[in-house]
Amino acid sequence: HITHRPSALLISQLGEADLTIQSILTLFFHGGMNNMNNDCNTNVKCSRKRRMLRRKRAGQGCPCSFQIQPIARRTKTYLFASVLCVTLVKYCCSSFQFVLPTSSSTTARRRIGSVTTATPLALSTTSSTSLEQLTVKELRQLVKDGKNTERGVLSRLKRKQDLIDYLVQQQQRQGNVDDEEQQPQPPQDSITNGEAATIKKTTPINKKQKSSSVRIRSMPSMRQSKQASSQEVKDENTTLISSSSSSPAPVSSPKDAIFEFVYTRYPPLRNESFIPAGDGELDVRQEYHPMLQNSKASDLDLVFVGTASCTPGVTRGVSCTALRLNWRRRWFDSTLGKTDNAPPTNGFTGGTWLFDVGEATQLQVQRTSSIKPGKITKIFLTHAHGDHTFGLPGLLCLMGQDRDRDAPPVEIYGPEGLRMWLRVAIRYSVARIVPHYRVHELMDVPMAPEWERNRRTSKFFRRLQKQPGESWGTKGLAGEDPQSWITKANQITNALPPTPQYGEIEGGRDIYPIYDHPQSNDGAPVWEVEDEEDVKVYAAPMSHGVPCVGYVVDEASRPGRLRNEIVEPVVRRNVQALKDQGFKVPMKAMAVIKNLPVGSSFTFPDGTVLSQSEAVEPPREGRKVVICGDTADCRAIEGLAQGADVLVHEATNTYLAGVDTKETTIQMVTKDAMTHGHSTPYMAGEFARRIGAKRLVLNHFSGRYKGDQSVDSLSLMTRIEMQAIKASGLDETDVAASWDLMILPVQQK
């Protein structure tokens, strides 16, 4: 919209030599250039004449001599003038660059539409300092619009600094070409003071086709919703920087800080041509993660076969955790019974225990050499949901292919109703290759007091707060809901008896709860699931939408090691005398000394006396591993889990600024997780702090958190770890967000 000047004067001024493309665009898109003609037309009958004269005397130029109204007042005349100007520039020069005036306000900058150009941005016109003022999104747009942009280059340029370095290199290459062609260039300080320039290729404007120009706003790389969420991001970045062993490179955004932390933790990722060597022991995290960096092999370790929730994906399988007990185990004979002494012709065997067997577990097991299907001796299920049970029939078929029929049976444990469900699944599929197995049911697993059953739908829903006076009762038990599987399973037992032809043998136990157990907490019951002298297994109920339990594997304390450097020289001095006393192999006297009762001693023939405390080290305290099922509250297992060496706790979902929408908060995510019977990393870390856990491993992640070795995935999992670290008070070497086939040794105390 042009005031006080005829259109002919406009055309004449556009043709003047002192007008540049920069000034023309500034004129039309900002409404400025008040100093083009300092001679005010005093004869014009303007209602604002006095104001104009005051501005002229103040040296601000005459606003009425040649002015375009601001973009806020969009009129048909203005739009026509804009199209006319852009068309004129398009045919008068081959390229141009739009520069924002330094005096423009924030509101004016936001209102500026994207400028269309006939050619991509001339990178030689921008400096490194100017590029740093742009956002990551705008830098990616510059790279995308570049002339010789390589295919897939954006997938390699993750950090803001990487994008800037790439653009500077392109600038140097293009600068050589520009020097040869001797094209006029705008000043290099065209983008200053954090102001953004948006560039997009020009497309012809016609009636049938909409304009291709898109407004690109200046957006932060990490979107923040509220002040609390913003503070969480700051604390998260502070934790990342402070926990790094070496000083990270200077970064300019929270996302860059996280990426730099990931690159520092996993150095191979800095190589653009990095290709993962494989899974499990070949995973880059297995070598460089702080929890595993200095770990040594142990006779007890955890293998995280599947770490996802709901359904298996490309990068994560669903819930399955293996506990490998690699020390010498108890013997079994051919009658499938236990015996204390092993036949002299046989050797000792190890055992692998699985906790939950989600869908496609049989595929996950075959991806690693760390788990042998034939060595799986026990399977523990936490609850009946499919992502924890659907893989059991298929896994049994896989185990039966390389297992002797006279081998000990596979012991299977789980909440009530498991025995009949598995029997029906195997009988329906006519699967005769399953190994011998027995099912031991945990009877009367109650729902947490905060869960109530909808009598119309028979589903349980959770109240966010526990009512005063509530206690663990009979919710969810057989008979409460006549239509539930637990109730129906007990009614068809006689109609479908077990048969060894389909693998199931007699001997399965019904394990009932103990409400007055010494380690019971909050009035919840405790199940003594298994006792094998050297290892005991307990269970306690979890707060979930179906009857669910968590397991505690408690290793018994072991006798101390024999001090060979003290005992062996004395034995060798008395070899002949020991033979005369009846020791056919004198060195076996060392075993006698190791098994001495506390406070006793052994006298050698030459008179040397060795006490038990001198010859044997103090007993080694047993280890404790806690594996929680799906839960929104682990208070029932708190007594059993005290002092755990490793706590495996679910962290299904959380809030991550820049990933979740700006309307989302951590409070909203926590409420949603608890409503569905799940936890967040903050909740897992808080429980680890309450029980004094030495290590915390998170699992059961939502499908939105990928488990691959890309920088994007690792940055998200690192942020999840930092949330758990903040809540638990543990060090970064003691907290890990698990990945598929991760191997964690559980060291002796």
Side-chain angles (χ1 to χ4, degrees), residues 7-303:
S7 58
L9 180 58
L10 167 65
I11 301 301
S12 64
Q13 289 193 351
L14 288 177
E16 292 178 2
D18 60 343
L19 288 179
T20 62
I21 301 301
Q22 173 181 340
S23 60
I24 295 176
L25 289 180
T26 305
L27 164 67
F28 278 94
F29 286 91
H30 180 61
M33 292 198 69
N34 300 327
N35 294 323
M36 291 180 59
N37 188 348
N38 292 328
D39 297 331
C40 180
N41 185 3
T42 57
N43 296 325
V44 177
K45 302 297 182 179
C46 180
S47 62
R48 297 182 296 173
K49 182 176 180 180
R50 295 180 180 178
R51 190 190 315 175
M52 291 184 288
L53 291 175
R54 284 197 300 268
R55 290 185 180 181
K56 182 177 180 181
R57 296 190 187 101
Q60 298 179 5
C62 179
C64 67
S65 58
F66 187 76
Q67 179 175 352
I68 305 299
Q69 287 192 357
I71 195 171
R73 298 178 175 86
R74 297 181 177 88
T75 62
K76 295 182 179 180
T77 307
Y78 166 71
L79 294 176
F80 172 76
S82 300
V83 174
L84 176 64
C85 177
V86 173
T87 306
L88 176 65
V89 172
K90 176 180 177 182
Y91 287 99
C92 289
C93 62
S94 58
S95 64
F96 66 93
Q97 179 176 353
F98 172 55
V99 181
L100 289 174
T102 57
S103 61
S104 60
S105 63
T106 304
T107 304
R109 289 198 301 269
R110 291 179 179 175
R111 289 174 175 174
I112 295 173
S114 60
V115 180
T116 57
T117 63
T119 59
L121 171 67
L123 293 176
S124 59
T125 64
T126 59
S127 62
S128 177
T129 304
S130 302
L131 292 173
E132 291 177 356
Q133 305 300 326
L134 301 179
T135 64
V136 174
K137 185 173 183 180
E138 292 165 345
L139 290 172
R140 291 174 67 88
Q141 186 66 31
L142 287 175
V143 174
K144 187 182 298 185
D145 292 343
K147 287 185 177 180
N148 299 317
T149 301
E150 302 174 5
R151 183 176 181 180
V153 67
L154 288 176
S155 62
R156 301 197 309 267
L157 303 177
K158 300 295 184 181
R159 301 180 303 165
K160 182 175 182 179
Q161 190 59 43
D162 296 337
L163 293 167
I164 294 175
D165 294 342
Y166 177 83
L167 290 172
V168 171
Q169 293 178 2
Q170 292 295 99
Q171 169 187 341
Q172 295 174 353
R173 297 175 185 173
Q174 186 174 345
N176 298 332
V177 178
D178 293 341
D179 291 341
E180 294 177 1
E181 296 179 356
Q182 296 181 355
Q183 294 182 355
Q185 298 292 341
Q188 292 210 358
D189 57 349
S190 55
I191 303 178
T192 58
N193 299 328
E195 297 166 349
T198 56
I199 300 93
K200 193 173 180 69
K201 295 182 179 179
T202 299
T203 54
I205 301 176
N206 53 51
K207 297 180 180 180
K208 296 182 180 181
Q209 182 179 1
K210 295 182 179 180
S211 174
S212 63
S213 61
V214 180
R215 179 177 301 177
I216 303 177
R217 296 184 181 271
S218 177
M219 299 176 62
S221 59
M222 306 287 290
R223 291 181 297 177
Q224 303 173 358
S225 56
K226 294 184 179 181
Q227 184 176 1
S229 301
S230 177
Q231 184 62 35
E232 290 168 10
V233 176
K234 294 179 181 178
D235 295 342
E236 193 174 281
N237 295 333
T238 303
T239 306
L240 285 169
I241 296 174
S242 62
S243 60
S244 178
S245 57
S246 59
S247 299
V251 291
S252 56
S253 70
K255 185 174 182 179
D256 286 347
I258 296 170
F259 274 35
E260 181 61 32
F261 183 84
V262 172
Y263 284 131
T264 303
R265 175 179 283 188
Y266 308 107
L269 297 181
R270 289 189 184 275
N271 186 359
E272 294 183 357
S273 59
F274 169 74
I275 299 177
D279 302 317
E281 296 180 353
L282 300 178
D283 194 297
V284 66
R285 291 164 287 190
Q286 192 68 35
E287 180 178 357
Y288 292 99
H289 194 282
M291 179 179 282
L292 304 173
Q293 216 165 23
N294 300 318
S295 62
K296 299 179 181 178
S298 174
D299 58 358
L300 180 67
D301 55 28
L302 286 162
V303 181

Side-chain angles (χ1 to χ4, degrees), residues 390-446:
F390 280 172
L392 181 56
L395 178 65
L396 289 175
C397 292
L398 177 65
M399 294 169 58
Q401 294 179 7
D402 58 352
R403 194 181 185 95
D404 296 334
R405 297 298 294 180
D406 58 350
V410 180
E411 309 288 343
I412 304 175
Y413 307 82
E416 186 177 2
L418 171 61
R419 184 182 294 124
M420 183 54 63
W421 173 81
L422 184 59
R423 186 182 302 171
V424 169
I426 293 177
R427 292 285 289 274
Y428 176 76
S429 60
V430 197
R432 294 190 175 92
I433 61 173
V434 297
H436 287 145
Y437 70 90
R438 280 193 292 242
V439 178
H440 310 283
E441 290 188 338
L442 278 61
M443 308 297 292
D444 300 341
V445 180

